[in-house]
Amino acid sequence: MSDFTVPDQTGRLAVVTGANSGIGLEAARQLAAAGAEVVLAVRSTAKGETAAADIRTTAPDARLRVEALDLSRLSSVTAFAQRLTERERPLDLLINNAGVMAVPTRQITADGFELQFGTNHLGHFALTGRLLPLLAAAPAPRVVSLSSGTHFVGRIDLTDLQSERRYGPSRAYAQSKLATLLFAGELQRRSDQHGWGLLSAAAHPGAAHTNLQAVGPSLGRATTRVPLATRLTMLIPGFWQQADQGALPTLYAATSPDAVAGQYYGPGGRLGLTGQPAVARKSSRAGDTEVADRLWRESERLTGVRYPQTRTAVR
């Protein structure tokens, strides 16, 4: 695949969660540079405004709006969706990017969910459901959900989704990212079944330098910690790529006319860690439609967000 560039996005409205840094910031930057109006959905609006100013240094005419969104609080998700709905503008693109990784000790969200599962999966599940009417009103809406190669070691334990009986930082993260991948596939299946008109895809950035590797492992600790494995791989030439390159699979899924509904994209280079966007490998568990259906139903129960059964009901 030749080097990918984002096609013209003039007239499109995009929401990018976690757009203040890393993959989210670079995705927002490239979408804005291509002409899209971008909502930077961020937990800290101060950091969001700093990110917007940064984007404008490379895209002076960028059309940006900073909105508060804390995915670990369902009330914040509802309030964010209500603000967008009040503007009565169709939503062309939702990038479910924000996340937290490898929190050292079990922490819970404001709604009582394990932090990684609650933020990475349930928060985005609720957000997508709340924004579905705006998405369905757009001519060719897309939803891109960020997973990770870590999903290969993930297991969905429907009897212990909140890791109450057993918690491990990497284990909980892997479960949340497998859940994200299952959600993306199930969203496409249900869109096809009920006529929502969505293109749902998933993506992962490969080995990309972002603050994700440090923020999560440092939660609850007095000092910032980068896991030993991460520090060791940083010594390997060519193992890591910068965030702007890591954002390309997400942007391909979000904007390429060749992107396929229900597909999973990542870097196409060595070990799927770096390089241009390509179809990514996924585990057999990520294709388990029975588990995806059960997880969907449980996610509706936990969040209280129930997706409609018909396109008419969306509107």
Side-chain angles (χ1 to χ4, degrees), residues 186-271:
E186 188 66 15
L187 180 63
Q188 187 63 60
R189 284 187 288 275
R190 289 178 183 249
S191 176
D192 293 343
Q193 180 181 359
H194 302 308
W196 299 338
L198 300 178
L199 185 157
S200 170
H204 76 89
H209 275 300
T210 71
N211 64 3
L212 184 67
Q213 292 90 15
V215 172
S218 301
L219 285 176
R221 289 174 167 165
T223 58
T224 299
R225 293 194 182 184
V226 177
L228 177 61
T230 300
R231 285 185 276 134
L232 290 175
T233 56
M234 285 180 178
L235 301 176
I236 303 174
F239 189 93
W240 291 83
Q241 60 186 356
Q242 296 304 309
D244 60 343
Q245 188 79 9
L248 291 181
T250 296
L251 289 163
Y252 183 91
T255 67
S256 173
D258 297 322
V260 175
Q263 192 55 272
Y264 181 41
Y265 296 98
R270 186 180 62 174
L271 302 177

Side-chain angles (χ1 to χ4, degrees), residues 24-311:
L25 172 59
E26 296 306 323
R29 186 194 309 280
Q30 296 189 51
L31 287 169
E37 179 179 346
V38 184
V39 176
L40 280 63
V42 295
R43 190 171 62 173
S44 165
T45 55
K47 291 181 179 179
E49 294 293 353
T50 299
D54 181 33
I55 291 172
R56 290 190 177 101
T57 63
T58 55
D61 298 327
R63 301 173 64 203
L64 306 170
R65 189 165 79 246
V66 176
E67 290 278 357
L69 173 63
D70 183 347
L71 288 159
S72 70
R73 293 178 178 271
L74 292 177
S75 60
S76 178
V77 172
T78 300
F80 173 86
Q82 286 176 341
R83 292 196 301 274
L84 261 64
T85 300
E86 288 168 0
R87 295 177 178 264
E88 298 183 339
R89 181 174 172 189
L91 178 60
D92 299 282
L93 174 60
L94 171 61
I95 296 182
N96 290 325
N97 162 78
V100 63
M101 171 184 174
V103 180
T105 59
R106 184 179 181 273
Q107 299 185 34
I108 60 172
T109 70
D111 304 288
F113 307 135
E114 186 275 316
L115 182 60
Q116 296 182 83
F117 186 76
T119 301
N120 300 352
H121 170 62
L122 291 176
H124 282 123
F125 179 92
L127 177 67
T128 306
R130 296 292 188 200
L131 294 179
L132 188 57
L134 296 181
L135 288 160
R142 296 192 187 192
V143 178
V144 179
S145 300
L146 270 289
S147 186
S148 165
T150 310
H151 88 271
F152 272 97
V153 296
R155 303 283 195 283
I156 301 297
D157 185 349
L158 288 160
T159 68
D160 190 29
L161 287 174
Q162 311 306 332
S163 301
E164 293 175 294
R165 294 199 303 268
R166 177 187 173 197
Y167 179 80
S170 297
R171 178 177 179 272
Y173 180 68
Q175 177 182 242
S176 76
K177 287 303 174 178
L178 176 56
T180 297
L181 198 47
L182 288 165
F183 165 68
E186 188 66 15
L187 180 63
Q188 187 63 60
R189 284 187 288 275
R190 289 178 183 249
S191 176
D192 293 343
Q193 180 181 359
H194 302 308
W196 299 338
L198 300 178
L199 185 157
S200 170
H204 76 89
H209 275 300
T210 71
N211 64 3
L212 184 67
Q213 292 90 15
V215 172
S218 301
L219 285 176
R221 289 174 167 165
T223 58
T224 299
R225 293 194 182 184
V226 177
L228 177 61
T230 300
R231 285 185 276 134
L232 290 175
T233 56
M234 285 180 178
L235 301 176
I236 303 174
F239 189 93
W240 291 83
Q241 60 186 356
Q242 296 304 309
D244 60 343
Q245 188 79 9
L248 291 181
T250 296
L251 289 163
Y252 183 91
T255 67
S256 173
D258 297 322
V260 175
Q263 192 55 272
Y264 181 41
Y265 296 98
R270 186 180 62 174
L271 302 177
L273 298 176
T274 61
Q276 289 295 309
V279 173
R281 292 177 56 245
K282 57 185 177 182
S283 69
S284 59
R285 287 185 293 275
D288 191 326
T289 57
E290 180 181 350
V291 171
D293 177 71
R294 293 175 64 192
L295 177 64
W296 184 283
R297 295 174 188 275
E298 182 64 5
S299 299
E300 285 190 326
R301 186 188 72 81
L302 289 169
T303 62
V305 176
R306 298 194 178 275
Y307 285 62
Q309 297 299 301
T310 65
R311 185 177 180 86

